[in-house]
């Protein structure tokens, strides 16, 4: 379970101050897929970075399965599988070596580790890529490697920052099925996306962030009802456009 | 422990697969022995050869035999000077005046006065002047001996005491210079060989967006720093071992005794040099990582980290200029090692206490830098320059 409580975060530079988070709170429960929506610059990535412990909130806190990220970052990160907004590959390693590297960092070893890596390679349909050096991989292939390294240790909680950008239809479907499986097993999945159909199809709950604050939350249907629209996209535009009466 | 192993395995894999960076790292090791050998050859040639000296004679026609004797020692007339050296020798202006009465006085057995005019304070003239004096004295003695011989006198009577000279002086200035350069070069190799790897694994990883992902993982920044440090310093250690082996092979091809140097890399010297340089490798890698992580981009890292080259090249020269060395330079990192290396090259016995002190000081400084770096990697500033 991921809990975010009253997060405030400002970036101060010489010229100006940007308030990225302004009292954001939400909860992503176990056994649910929680979508986090928001326009560009709404504070999604800042919020997720605070979750990983890369940034420190000015106020408020984030917990992962009850562990405060700021206090025990390493313990908290052990419970996380992360797909960051910016990612790169170690281009001199093969895909297999890179996944192996992250699995080892998460404390996996021996036959267990190899079985897990083989499994994730099969699950993401990337066995053919496994022993190639990652230099020259296409965007989709790079995404797959990054996803594999986030999922290989089967973390209790997933944080995925736009995991489907650049994936082809087949890969997106594989990923969706994969996430659905993890959900059934009781994992907590938090992911951000700009694709409304995907969010509507996949998410049990949706959190809409705007200007660093929670603009609305609920099931996709509840959000549509709240905004009085049929499509989630329309509802989203309406909800972030006016925060009157919907900041529930 | 397992995490650290995984981190290190990955660093080494990446470093050894980056052939270009590896070539740069090893190029110093490969070039150094060649450079040292060429320099030594040139120095030996200068020290041993008799370069031509050009003298402005007046009245040379009066003493053809003396002129011949001078010519045998490569002391020539100014009229024969090649065009490109004419200006030099005109400035040096060595004049030898032979009186008109030379032949007559010689025949009469009267003393003859030759005049040698030159700037005796000018350092570059000291060897030519000495050589001219030697030839004239030899020539004069030879004539004297012959005169005595024809009168039936044993010339040994003129030499009741014979002085045998044995030179125990320190190596000549050329040899000193070369050992100093060798020291500086070894220090630079220790300092610079790991540089491409250090920059690539810090600023490079940041630019390729893989550092952010690593920092999100459940691993302490100390382990990350240690893995990167051990990889970069291993590369420089390999490089200096390679360099020492090649240099000791190269040394077999030059005869150092000709210039009064007695330097060779035997097993003991080899071990001592390694003991001195390995802590430097670690210190250098930690400094490079610190600077490279500070930089905003790969390019900036390259330029700022390259400034570090000042430390190993400047300190030994500064030490050479210092006449009264304060005690602390003996155990300060870099300066301590370079002083000890100087001793090794001079063939002096090694001061083990100083070696221990300076090594400990270097290692303590390295540990400090590693801790600072590990702390910095948890700060937001490092993360913010990611984006």
């Amino acid at each position: 379970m991921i809990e975010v409580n009253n997060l405030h975060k400002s970036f101060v530079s010489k010229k100006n101050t940007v308030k990225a988070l302004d009292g954001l709170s939400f909860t992503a429960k176990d056994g649910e897929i929680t979508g986090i929506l928001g326009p560009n610059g709404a504070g999604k990535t800042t919020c997720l970075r605070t979750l990983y412990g890369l940034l420190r909130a000015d106020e408020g806190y984030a917990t992962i399965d009850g562990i405060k990220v700021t206090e025990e970052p390493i313990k908290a990160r052990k419970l996380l599988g992360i797909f960051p907004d910016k990612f790169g590959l170690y281009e001199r390693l093969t895909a297999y070596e890179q996944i192996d590297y992250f699995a080892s960092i998460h404390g996996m070893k021996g036959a267990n580790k190899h079985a897990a890596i083989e499994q994730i390679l099969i699950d993401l349909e990337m066995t053919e890529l496994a022993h190639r050096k990652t230099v020259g991989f296409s965007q989709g292939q790079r995404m797959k490697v990054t996803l594999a390294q986030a999922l290989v240790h089967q973390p209790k909680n997933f944080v995925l920052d736009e995991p489907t950008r650049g994936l082809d239809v087949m890969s997106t479907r594989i990923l969706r099925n994969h996430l659905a499986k993890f959900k059934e097993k009781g994992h907590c999945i938090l992911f951000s996306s700009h694709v409304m159909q995907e969010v509507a199809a996949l998410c049990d709950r949706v959190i809409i962030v705007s200007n660093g604050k929670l603009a609305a939350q609920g099931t996709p249907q509840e959000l549509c009802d709240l905004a009085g629209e049929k499509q989630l996209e329309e509802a989203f535009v309406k909800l972030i456009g006016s925060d009157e009466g919907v900041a529930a | 422990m397992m995490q650290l192993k995984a981190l290190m395995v990955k660093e080494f894999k990446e470093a050894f697969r980056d052939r270009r960076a590896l070539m740069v790292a090893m190029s110093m090791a490969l070039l150094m022995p060649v450079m040292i050998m060429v320099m030594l050859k040139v120095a030996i040639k200068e020290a041993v050869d008799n370069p031509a000296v050009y003298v402005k004679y007046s009245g040379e026609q009066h003493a053809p035999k003396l002129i011949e004797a001078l010519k045998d020692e490569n002391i020539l007339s100014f009229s024969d000077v090649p065009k490109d050296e004419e200006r030099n020798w005109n400035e040096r202006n060595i004049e030898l005046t032979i009186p008109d009465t030379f032949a007559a006085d010689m025949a009469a057995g009267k003393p003859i006065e030759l005049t040698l005019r030159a700037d005796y304070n000018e350092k570059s003239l000291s060897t030519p002047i000495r050589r001219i004096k030697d030839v004239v004295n030899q020539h004069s003695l030879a004539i004297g001996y012959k005169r005595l011989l024809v009168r039936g006198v044993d010339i040994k009577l003129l030499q009741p005491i014979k002085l045998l000279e044995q030179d125990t002086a320190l190596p000549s200035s050329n040899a000193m210079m070369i050992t100093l350069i060798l020291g500086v070069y070894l220090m630079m190799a220790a300092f610079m060989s790991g540089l491409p790897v250090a920059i690539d694994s810090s600023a490079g990883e940041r630019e390729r967006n893989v550092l952010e992902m690593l920092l999100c993982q459940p691993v302490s920044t100390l382990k990350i720093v240690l893995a990167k440090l051990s990889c970069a310093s291993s590369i420089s250690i390999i490089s200096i071992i390679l360099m020492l082996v090649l240099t000791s092979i190269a040394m077999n091809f030059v005869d150092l005794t000709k210039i009064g140097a007695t330097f060779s890399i035997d097993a003991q010297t080899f071990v001592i040099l390694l003991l001195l340089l390995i802590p430097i490798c670690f210190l250098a890698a930690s400094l490079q990582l610190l600077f490279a992580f500070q930089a905003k981009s790969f390019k900036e890292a390259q330029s700022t980290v390259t400034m570090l080259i000042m430390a190993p090249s400047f300190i030994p020269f500064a030490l050479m200029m210092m006449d009264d060395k304060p005690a602390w330079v003996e155990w300060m990192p870099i300066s301590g090692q370079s002083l000890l290396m100087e001793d090794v090259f001079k063939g002096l016995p090694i001061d083990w206490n100083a070696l221990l002190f300076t090594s400990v000081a270097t290692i303590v400084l390295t540990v400090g830098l590693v801790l600072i770096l590990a702390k910095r990697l948890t700060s937001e500033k490092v993360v913010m320059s990611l984006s």
Side-chain angles (χ1 to χ4, degrees), chain B residues 46-238:
Chain B
E46 273 192 6
V48 177
D49 269 6
N50 273 346
V53 171
Y54 298 93
V55 183
K56 290 179 181 166
Y57 294 121
S58 49
E60 56 182 303
Q61 67 278 12
H62 304 303
K65 278 198 178 155
L66 176 62
I67 301 296
E68 196 65 29
L70 285 163
K71 210 173 183 175
D72 287 345
E73 288 297 319
N74 214 7
I75 298 164
L76 308 169
S77 168
F78 183 71
S79 53
D80 301 333
V81 70
K83 266 272 175 289
D84 51 332
E85 287 184 65
E86 189 174 337
R87 206 179 64 89
N88 268 339
W89 286 105
N90 195 26
E91 252 170 42
R92 286 173 188 159
N93 200 19
I94 306 172
E95 290 175 28
L96 186 69
T97 314
I98 299 165
D100 301 341
T101 55
F102 188 93
D105 286 347
M106 182 64 83
K110 283 187 195 160
I112 305 165
E113 279 176 1
L114 302 186
T115 318
L116 181 62
R117 268 172 62 93
D119 180 357
Y120 277 61
N121 266 338
E122 174 62 44
K123 237 183 165 180
S124 66
L125 288 186
S126 63
T127 313
I129 288 173
R130 180 181 50 77
R131 280 171 55 199
I132 295 169
K133 274 159 76 177
D134 283 353
V135 175
V136 173
N137 285 339
Q138 279 296 324
H139 190 69
S140 163
L141 263 180
I143 294 169
Y145 286 163
K146 279 177 198 152
R147 284 177 179 168
L148 288 181
L149 269 176
V150 291
R151 286 168 177 79
V153 179
D154 185 355
I155 55 166
K156 276 187 194 142
L157 288 174
L158 284 172
Q159 252 187 347
I161 298 172
K162 193 169 185 188
L163 182 66
L164 294 175
E165 289 172 289
Q166 286 181 342
D167 191 357
T168 59
L170 288 175
S172 68
S173 59
N174 273 338
M176 277 297 286
M177 204 59 208
I178 287 163
T179 50
L180 182 86
I181 287 172
L182 186 66
V184 170
Y185 211 110
L186 276 172
M187 195 74 90
M188 287 211 318
F191 232 82
M192 305 309 287
S193 299
L195 184 104
V197 177
I199 296 182
D200 187 73
S201 72
S202 50
E205 284 199 1
R206 169 146 78 194
E207 208 155 86
R208 295 193 294 271
N209 292 324
V210 281
L211 186 67
E212 178 174 349
M213 214 153 61
L214 185 59
L215 290 175
C216 300
Q217 302 303 321
V219 57
S220 72
T221 48
L222 185 63
K223 282 182 191 165
I224 297 174
V225 173
L226 282 178
K228 292 188 188 302
L229 178 82
S230 52
C231 180
S233 45
S234 302
I235 300 282
S236 21
I237 290 170
I238 293 171

Side-chain angles (χ1 to χ4, degrees), chain A residues 9-11 49 52-58 73-75 77-78 80 82 84-94 97-98 100-109 133 146 149 153, chain B residues 2-3 6-11 13-19 200-201 205 208-221 224 228 375 377-381 383-387:
Chain A
K9 178 76 193 171
S10 300
F11 296 112
R49 279 185 170 173
Y52 321 141
L54 280 182
L55 295 178
R56 270 167 198 281
D58 300 334
I74 291 187
K75 213 170 155 191
R77 284 176 200 158
K78 273 202 172 132
L80 272 183
I82 295 169
D85 72 319
K86 268 193 184 175
F87 64 90
L89 301 179
Y90 297 104
E91 297 195 335
R92 292 191 285 275
L93 300 186
T94 65
E97 282 167 338
Q98 177 155 350
D100 185 325
Y101 175 52
F102 280 87
S104 304
I105 287 177
H106 275 277
M108 301 179 83
K109 56 183 166 183
K133 283 195 188 149
T146 313
Q149 78 193 20
H153 59 287
Chain B
M2 210 185 61
Q3 271 186 332
L7 288 165
M8 277 171 54
V9 166
K10 176 249 146 195
E11 294 295 339
K13 261 187 198 161
E14 278 219 300
F16 280 96
R17 283 178 192 177
D18 188 0
R19 301 251 181 263
D200 187 73
S201 72
E205 284 199 1
R208 295 193 294 271
N209 292 324
V210 281
L211 186 67
E212 178 174 349
M213 214 153 61
L214 185 59
L215 290 175
C216 300
Q217 302 303 321
V219 57
S220 72
T221 48
I224 297 174
K228 292 188 188 302
K375 183 94 186 123
L377 279 185
T378 60
S379 88
E380 261 181 27
K381 271 195 184 151
V383 182
M384 284 322 291
S385 52
L386 294 173
S387 50

Side-chain angles (χ1 to χ4, degrees), chain B residues 327-362:
Chain B
W328 51 265
V329 298
E330 279 175 28
W331 51 263
M332 269 257 298
I334 302 175
S335 66
Q337 277 92 351
S338 58
L339 283 177
L340 284 166
M341 266 204 280
E342 215 175 286
D343 286 353
V344 171
F345 293 143
K346 279 184 194 163
L348 298 176
I350 190 86
D351 179 353
W352 289 100
N353 276 337
L355 190 144
L356 187 72
F357 265 131
T358 179
S359 301
V360 168
T362 310

